[in-house]
Amino acid sequence: MVVELPTDIDARGVPSAKSCGSGIGRRRCFHRMLTEILSSDSELEVVGAAADPFIAREKIIALKPDVVTLDVEMPRMDGLTFLEKLMRSHPLPVLMVSSLTERGCETTLRALELGAIDFVTKPKVDMASGTVQLAEEMIRSTDRVICIGASTGGTEAIAEVLDGFPADAPGTVIVQHMPGGFTKSFAKRLDGQCRIRVKEANDGDRILPGHALLASGGYHMAVIRSGASYCVRVGMGEPVNRHRPSVDVLFKSAAKYLGGNAVGVLLTGMGNDGAHGLLAMKQAGANTIAQDEATCVVFGMPREAIALGAAKEITPLNRIAHQALQSTRR
């Protein structure tokens, strides 16, 4: 079930069908078409619509929807304020829909930080065709995460991969074998040269579009699901494959919690850490990529993964960013 929160509805309680002109008329038309699109899917039922957040709160309590679509621009209370209140009192999956929620802008990031599971952008020019495109985006899961593991030679390999990501790249989590004390500086260097934001991971950090989390030296990092979103768990634990952080710990958690919504990338490195985790990701439905021998500083980790049949694709370093991004759009 879905409850939609449009900017305006008519006296019958359904979105107005007035002209799709500028301003209020365009918003009315958009929400009418959004309701029609959602209702056209046999697996979705629009159980209610609300003119403002105060009415929405009562309808959410009464109708108990599975998902809410929420506009940033609403009368009496803006969408972000309502989202924050909703997540405190009645948390449930919320999809932001607005001309303001474009990837990389502060509004979008704030909505994701407050608990929205994702967002789609209102079409700006052709309302009819644009809304059809919106429907296709809503059907496809967008909680995609790119998981990267590396060891010897990995610092420059990771930098090259991240340098190929646009500012709106899927959320990315990275394990690089590196001692404690070095990862914060490495993350800062990457943050300064890439279009995405990069930081050393803290326990509980959310995995957000346009952001990469780097495992701290001396600490394992795993992906977990927290409500309707993904975040990371950071902790000591015993070394795995003689490493902490371990790529296998990250990849196996991705297999468990992300399944087919993940892409696994195993880069240059010595040993076999990450090989079995990449296989687990493949078996869980993720696309899996191993760096090819010609571009590796040390071919050990990718070679072990390839020998296990864990890599769906074997790719030179300069093509891995493109390949990973393409995989998230399939």
Side-chain angles (χ1 to χ4, degrees):
M1 294 189 296
V2 178
V3 60
E4 185 204 358
L5 309 185
T7 304
D8 197 11
I9 55 177
D10 64 20
R12 298 170 300 160
V14 297
S16 170
K18 291 183 180 180
S19 170
C20 293
S22 60
I24 293 174
R26 179 173 298 186
R27 290 198 296 273
R28 288 170 173 167
C29 185
F30 171 80
H31 289 295
R32 175 174 58 83
M33 289 190 288
L34 177 58
T35 300
E36 291 173 355
I37 288 167
L38 292 171
S39 300
S40 68
D41 190 314
S42 61
E43 296 184 4
L44 297 178
E45 177 190 2
V46 179
V47 297
D52 64 54
F54 296 93
I55 298 172
R57 179 182 178 276
E58 300 305 316
K59 291 203 172 189
I60 289 171
I61 293 171
L63 299 172
K64 298 179 174 59
D66 298 310
V67 181
V68 168
T69 65
L70 176 62
D71 200 328
V72 171
E73 303 167 276
M74 293 190 297
R76 302 179 67 189
M77 182 188 297
D78 69 272
L80 292 182
T81 301
F82 177 67
L83 176 64
E84 186 173 14
K85 293 178 181 295
L86 181 65
M87 287 303 168
R88 284 202 302 262
S89 62
H90 196 86
L92 78 168
V94 174
L95 179 69
M96 303 302 292
V97 185
S98 175
S99 57
L100 296 179
T101 54
E102 296 177 351
R103 288 188 185 272
C105 79
E106 292 304 314
T107 304
T108 300
L109 296 179
R110 181 59 180 155
L112 295 169
E113 289 169 356
L114 290 172
I117 58 171
D118 212 330
F119 65 91
V120 288
T121 307
K122 285 182 182 177
K124 295 180 179 179
V125 181
D126 188 337
M127 288 295 294
S129 64
T131 306
V132 171
Q133 181 181 3
L134 168 66
E136 294 170 353
E137 188 170 344
M138 291 181 69
I139 291 169
R140 187 183 72 241
S141 173
T142 52
D143 279 334
R144 304 303 175 111
V145 177
I146 297 174
C147 306
I148 300 174
S151 186
T152 312
T155 55
E156 293 308 311
I158 289 169
E160 182 166 342
V161 172
L162 296 190
D163 191 53
F165 284 3
D168 63 351
T172 302
V173 285
I174 306 163
V175 165
Q176 162 70 44
H177 294 162
M178 186 176 282
F182 290 88
T183 43
K184 182 172 288 188
S185 296
F186 181 44
K188 186 175 181 179
R189 177 165 72 88
L190 292 172
D191 186 63
Q193 72 183 58
C194 301
R195 283 168 286 185
I196 63 171
R197 302 302 305 271
V198 184
K199 69 180 289 287
E200 188 180 48
N202 293 313
D203 188 51
D205 279 348
R206 289 193 64 198
I207 302 171
L208 301 174
H211 288 66
L213 298 173
L214 176 71
S216 302
Y219 291 85
H220 289 308
M221 181 175 70
V223 176
I224 64 169
R225 177 177 280 278
S226 177
S229 61
Y230 298 119
C231 62
V232 295
R233 180 67 65 216
V234 175
M236 295 287 286
E238 294 298 318
V240 175
N241 302 321
R242 303 188 303 278
H243 295 287
R244 189 175 60 215
S246 164
V247 181
D248 264 339
V249 169
L250 175 64
F251 282 4
K252 288 181 180 180
S253 69
K256 180 177 180 180
Y257 291 104
L258 297 172
N261 277 349
V263 177
V265 178
L266 191 57
L267 300 175
T268 175
M270 186 180 298
N272 66 352
D273 189 32
H276 286 90
L278 197 70
L279 179 61
M281 290 185 71
K282 178 184 176 184
Q283 291 170 340
N287 194 41
T288 53
I289 302 168
Q291 186 177 347
D292 73 350
E293 182 173 10
T295 61
C296 279
V297 173
V298 178
F299 190 49
M301 286 161 49
R303 180 181 59 225
E304 293 297 324
I306 293 166
L308 287 175
K312 291 183 179 179
E313 302 177 37
I314 303 168
T315 308
L317 180 60
N318 65 357
R319 292 285 299 166
I320 285 178
H322 172 79
Q323 199 65 50
L325 293 170
Q326 285 294 105
S327 297
T328 65
R329 299 178 184 129
R330 291 172 185 168

